[in-house]
Amino acid sequence: MLPVLSKVMATVNAPYSVAVTPAQLAASIADPESAVVCDPATFAFLSEVSLNLQHAFIDAMAVDPEKVALVARKFSDLAGYRLPLAS
């Protein structure tokens, strides 16, 4: 596993006792339904992973950044504050 994936997955999985794979996280951060169901792994990625690691993960997993920005905006609306990728 790439170092960036290990760092991101440790941040996302450990605190919330969830067990998502990098592929599952990549899919959820690009899926607006994640905000509807308040997916904790997606929110942890968007709120607790550093911006540099977020970009590196998105690149490594070939996720569409525009889709991630849409999901980040939806979570920002729910959280009441702007998440870094929401711009």
Side-chain angles (χ1 to χ4, degrees):
M1 184 180 296
L2 295 172
V4 67
L5 300 183
S6 296
K7 290 177 185 177
V8 168
M9 299 318 296
T11 302
V12 169
N13 283 330
Y16 298 100
S17 298
V18 295
V20 298
T21 66
Q24 290 169 323
L25 181 61
S28 71
I29 64 172
D31 182 359
E33 186 67 19
S34 297
V36 173
V37 299
C38 298
D39 179 68
T42 303
F43 184 67
F45 175 82
L46 295 170
S47 64
E48 297 180 26
V49 174
S50 73
L51 187 58
N52 288 341
L53 278 177
Q54 288 175 345
H55 286 295
F57 182 86
I58 290 165
D59 290 344
M61 297 301 293
V63 180
D64 182 341
E66 290 181 24
K67 289 182 179 179
V68 178
L70 172 65
V71 173
R73 286 191 296 275
K74 291 182 176 293
F75 270 103
S76 289
D77 291 342
L78 291 170
Y81 59 92
R82 186 59 73 200
L83 295 164
L85 289 177
S87 43

